Amino acid sequence: MKYGIALWALFACLSGRTTAEELKTAKMVFDSYTYDFGNIREVDGDVSHTFRFTNEGTLPLVINSVGVSCGCTYPQFSKEPVLPGKGGEMKITFDPTNRPGKFEKVINVAANDPRGSIRLTITGQVEGRPRTIQDDYPYAVTGGLRIADRSLVLGTLPRGKATVRTVGIANGGKAPVKVGIVASSLPAWLTVRPAKATLSPGERSEIVMTFDASKADLWGKFHCRFALAVNGAEQPDPVNATVIFAEDFSALSRAELKLAPRADYSSFFYHFSDQPQGRTLTRQFQISNGGEKDLIIRHIGPTSNRIEATTDQTVIKAGDTATLTVKLNTEGATGRLSEGITVVTNDPARPARDIRVLANIVK
């Protein structure tokens, strides 16, 4: 009996010691875990807030790392141990540059606190700076003239109709500038003109492009370019535009769209890797109809005469699959060879898809 009581007493003693050891931890407690900057202005630059904390544990507190949810948020802290009962600070800086509107950023603090990482949050509303001509028209031409973009990807346009697209221009200079278009190489179905021939300093306008698909039997992808003339002088860097012509689906009802064909492709890319010069490389792709009505391949357009593509059927029933055979001619080619085709179908959701093949040609 005395032996059992002694064992019990020893166990109780050891258990109490373990509990006391377990209680020896660091404990990071912040005065506040969130901070709202309210309304701030982008033009005023960075804003900062200092979160204060106390080590309410019994061991020194060490901050191991601080993770942020955005590169716009910068933490500053000391890795020196914070003794029990002492306090520390963590400064969080937010950069509002190019971030107008509401924001919420999360900071995760990892320390030797056994409870795990601690989450801090900063919020606010950024009043964006007024946009300048340089912001909205990043490409300088000459004489103060600036343009919003030089490489225009204008998407899918309906066949049989005239469609208008624009690109913005502005005069960022101190003197009036005359704008013209050099259009000698444009196709007959494309006309390009400036909406205004002369722009005053600070004035914004646009170049108007009219793609009249009623003037030609147009299918697939087309690349067009035109030059700008500034104060009567033709400029060397052209403006490039890419469009794809497909059938007009605008008259389809919702019920018709639900029953429409859907083109599903096995792949959009293939790399032949290293290949000797002079070979004709062949790759097959599958096109399946995941819709309800017949899928019709309207057009297959290659990027150059190095590539050709044929299909074993142009009308694909619902649930069926067609095989598209692509052949790449490497005769006379060296180095990296990249070509592609554009497949146009009657799928109203995605009527045109690009398939690309590449090869490294070695002698």
Side-chain angles (χ1 to χ4, degrees), residues 27 79 87-88 103 111 122 156 192 287 301 318 336 341-342 356 360:
K27 186 177 181 182
K79 287 191 175 182
F103 68 89
I122 57 171
T156 304
V192 182
I287 306 175
R336 184 175 182 270
I341 60 170
T342 300
R356 198 148 204 91
N360 295 323

Side-chain angles (χ1 to χ4, degrees), residues 304-362:
S304 76
N305 58 9
R306 281 195 176 276
I307 188 170
E308 64 178 45
T310 57
T311 180
D312 60 354
Q313 53 183 311
T314 57
V315 180
I316 309 170
K317 299 293 184 181
D320 285 352
T321 298
T323 298
L324 179 72
T325 302
V326 177
K327 294 184 178 182
L328 180 63
N329 179 13
T330 67
E331 187 70 35
T334 57
R336 184 175 182 270
L337 182 60
S338 174
E339 297 287 349
I341 60 170
T342 300
V343 181
V344 181
T345 70
N346 64 331
D347 176 355
R350 195 70 182 265
R353 297 302 297 258
D354 288 337
I355 295 177
R356 198 148 204 91
V357 293
L358 286 82
N360 295 323
I361 309 302
V362 295

Side-chain angles (χ1 to χ4, degrees), residues 101-173:
K102 290 183 179 180
F103 68 89
E104 179 180 273
K105 304 301 175 183
V106 175
I107 303 98
N108 289 301
V109 182
N112 63 330
D113 187 325
R115 296 173 301 165
S117 65
I118 297 171
R119 178 186 174 116
L120 305 176
T121 306
I122 57 171
T123 59
Q125 175 85 27
V126 178
E127 177 187 334
R129 61 184 172 83
R131 294 189 64 84
T132 66
I133 284 180
Q134 287 73 21
D135 292 331
D136 294 332
Y137 308 87
Y139 299 96
V141 184
T142 191
L145 183 67
R146 305 183 70 90
I147 189 167
D149 197 355
R150 285 189 177 277
S151 298
L152 310 173
V153 180
L154 302 176
T156 304
L157 304 182
R159 296 181 71 251
K161 290 186 175 182
T163 306
V164 175
R165 294 287 186 268
T166 61
V167 58
I169 57 173
N171 182 1

Side-chain angles (χ1 to χ4, degrees), residues 68-245:
V68 294
S69 60
C70 174
C72 58
T73 309
Y74 310 93
Q76 291 176 279
F77 60 96
S78 172
K79 287 191 175 182
E80 292 296 320
V82 179
L83 297 177
K86 300 298 182 178
E89 297 181 344
M90 179 170 295
K91 182 179 180 182
I92 303 298
T93 300
F94 173 71
D95 179 6
T97 304
N98 297 322
R99 291 178 174 86
K102 290 183 179 180
F103 68 89
E104 179 180 273
K105 304 301 175 183
V106 175
I107 303 98
N108 289 301
V109 182
N112 63 330
D113 187 325
R115 296 173 301 165
S117 65
I118 297 171
R119 178 186 174 116
L120 305 176
T121 306
I122 57 171
T123 59
Q125 175 85 27
V126 178
E127 177 187 334
R129 61 184 172 83
R131 294 189 64 84
T132 66
I133 284 180
Q134 287 73 21
D135 292 331
D136 294 332
Y137 308 87
Y139 299 96
V141 184
T142 191
L145 183 67
R146 305 183 70 90
I147 189 167
D149 197 355
R150 285 189 177 277
S151 298
L152 310 173
V153 180
L154 302 176
T156 304
L157 304 182
R159 296 181 71 251
K161 290 186 175 182
T163 306
V164 175
R165 294 287 186 268
T166 61
V167 58
I169 57 173
N171 182 1
K174 298 181 179 180
V177 60
K178 293 182 179 180
V179 184
I181 303 296
V182 181
S184 56
S185 61
L186 289 179
W189 43 265
L190 174 59
T191 58
V192 182
R193 62 176 181 82
K196 195 170 182 181
T198 302
L199 300 183
S200 301
E203 188 173 5
R204 304 179 184 219
S205 186
E206 56 192 16
I207 301 292
V208 181
M209 297 165 286
T210 302
F211 299 87
D212 192 350
S214 65
K215 292 184 177 181
D217 184 23
L218 302 174
W219 283 107
K221 182 179 291 186
F222 291 85
H223 301 282
C224 312
R225 62 172 52 191
F226 57 89
L228 296 172
V230 178
N231 295 326
E234 180 178 347
Q235 300 306 302
D237 296 326
V239 177
N240 296 282
T242 301
V243 296
I244 299 174
F245 289 102

